[in-house]
Amino acid sequence: MDSEAFERDLRQALKDSLSRLSKGAADDSLRNAKSVLGEERFSDELAALYRVFDGQTSDPGVFDGAWFLSLDEMIERWRFRVEGGRPRWLPVDVLSQPYGWVREDYERPGWVWFAIGDEESASLFVDFEPGPRGTVGQIVEFDDKAHELLVVAKSLSEYVGLLARDEADSSIGPFSQNERAEADDQAELEALSSEVRTLSIAAEAALDLRCLARCERLKSVAIHCATPIDLAPLASCRGLVSLVLDAEVRNASVLAELPELGSLDLSGSGLA
């Protein structure tokens, strides 16, 4: 990496927040961080970040409202999650944007958080354990309210450069706006995009779920239906993780064939 360019971009990106930033961490502290996190997680880019500024001292958060953790705070948070044996499971309907770039099950040891958001802002981490389509070292925003893991840059250097040019306002793309959907009748169900991943169904009339066979990415489904519903077509939804049933159902045995199904709410189905 180009350390001089990185520092120049970082100072430009945070130029309006200099009075709230701590001076850079000492070399001994940086070596300790690498010893604790491991060389594979404390990258040269993270070291460069903390060599220039060691977190912030007062509100508001400098990374678009997110609080810039000091090196000690960053290590403490990582230790709490990893060494403390406290994996944080993510909401079952959380989505990686773009699809397949970020793992969606639980917070991983390879997620090194450097900025923590509040109710109005997203948190940021460097991802050293990306999904099958992602890049090691990519920068991810986690929006807890929207349940989204949004990749905003392929590296910390790229992210800081985007900030310096005031361009860090979206995913590096592409991602689909059709991944969350609702359907109130059979026509809307038939019109669903094949890219849908979380689906909420609320219908009065009978429904035929066979059209969901083409939705290979389907992850989370909630069904509220006034008439009995046949679950047999769900056998094709092999990646289904979460299912809520508020309807009388037939062929419920198919649920045992879904290998990823870990969250099942049958309270409205008469099967609970």
Side-chain angles (χ1 to χ4, degrees):
M1 64 170 290
D2 186 336
S3 298
E4 292 184 2
F6 182 90
E7 180 173 349
R8 183 175 61 249
D9 284 346
L10 182 61
R11 291 187 181 278
Q12 172 64 23
L14 303 181
K15 64 182 186 301
D16 296 330
S17 306
L18 295 178
S19 63
R20 303 198 301 278
L21 294 167
S22 298
K23 68 177 183 179
D27 287 343
D28 285 349
S29 297
L30 296 172
R31 283 193 292 270
N32 177 65
K34 179 170 288 191
S35 174
V36 174
L37 272 71
E39 189 169 350
E40 71 278 11
R41 299 188 190 99
F42 194 68
S43 62
D44 290 344
E45 290 185 330
L46 270 174
L49 173 68
Y50 282 102
R51 187 174 286 113
V52 181
F53 298 119
D54 189 8
Q56 67 178 101
T57 58
S58 60
D59 289 325
V62 301
F63 285 113
D64 198 22
W67 180 274
F68 180 16
L69 297 176
S70 70
L71 193 58
D72 286 343
E73 290 170 335
M74 182 264 283
I75 292 172
E76 181 180 2
R77 192 188 193 286
W78 183 84
R79 274 181 158 160
F80 178 77
R81 292 298 185 193
V82 177
E83 295 182 355
R86 302 176 179 87
R88 179 192 181 195
W89 290 91
L90 301 175
V92 292
D93 61 343
V94 74
L95 297 183
S96 162
Q97 303 279 21
Y99 170 72
W101 286 52
V102 189
R103 299 189 183 276
E104 300 171 342
D105 44 10
Y106 62 91
E107 183 177 334
R108 293 173 174 272
W111 293 7
V112 180
W113 302 80
F114 64 93
I116 301 300
D118 54 21
E119 293 182 356
E120 304 298 326
S121 60
S123 298
L124 290 158
F125 64 87
V126 186
D127 184 4
F128 295 105
E129 294 185 46
R133 300 186 180 187
T135 302
V136 173
Q138 64 192 9
I139 305 302
V140 182
E141 279 187 356
F142 178 44
D143 188 329
D144 207 2
K145 290 192 295 184
H147 290 186
E148 288 183 343
L149 293 158
L150 185 69
V151 180
V152 294
K154 291 183 179 179
S155 68
L156 189 54
S157 293
E158 181 177 276
Y159 177 65
V160 168
L162 291 172
L163 286 177
R165 298 188 299 273
D166 198 26
E167 297 174 358
D169 58 358
S170 65
S171 167
I172 62 176
F175 66 87
S176 170
Q177 299 293 341
N178 299 317
E179 294 192 347
R180 299 181 188 275
E182 298 179 356
D184 295 333
D185 54 36
Q186 189 66 38
E188 291 186 356
L189 205 59
E190 298 283 352
L192 287 175
S193 164
S194 61
E195 296 179 341
V196 68
R197 303 194 64 213
T198 66
L199 174 63
S200 178
I201 301 171
E204 295 295 324
L207 292 175
D208 185 344
L209 300 183
R210 284 179 292 180
C211 58
L212 296 184
R214 59 190 172 83
C215 301
E216 296 180 356
R217 299 180 180 181
L218 199 59
K219 178 182 179 183
S220 174
V221 177
I223 300 175
H224 308 274
C225 191
T227 60
I229 195 161
D230 185 2
L231 298 182
L234 291 183
S236 63
C237 302
R238 306 292 290 172
L240 196 64
V241 171
S242 171
L243 179 62
V244 176
L245 290 172
D246 182 13
E248 183 182 343
V249 300
R250 297 192 294 268
N251 292 318
S253 59
V254 72
L255 301 180
E257 302 174 18
L258 300 177
E260 304 298 325
L261 188 61
S263 177
L264 180 60
D265 183 349
L266 301 172
S267 57
S269 68
L271 298 175

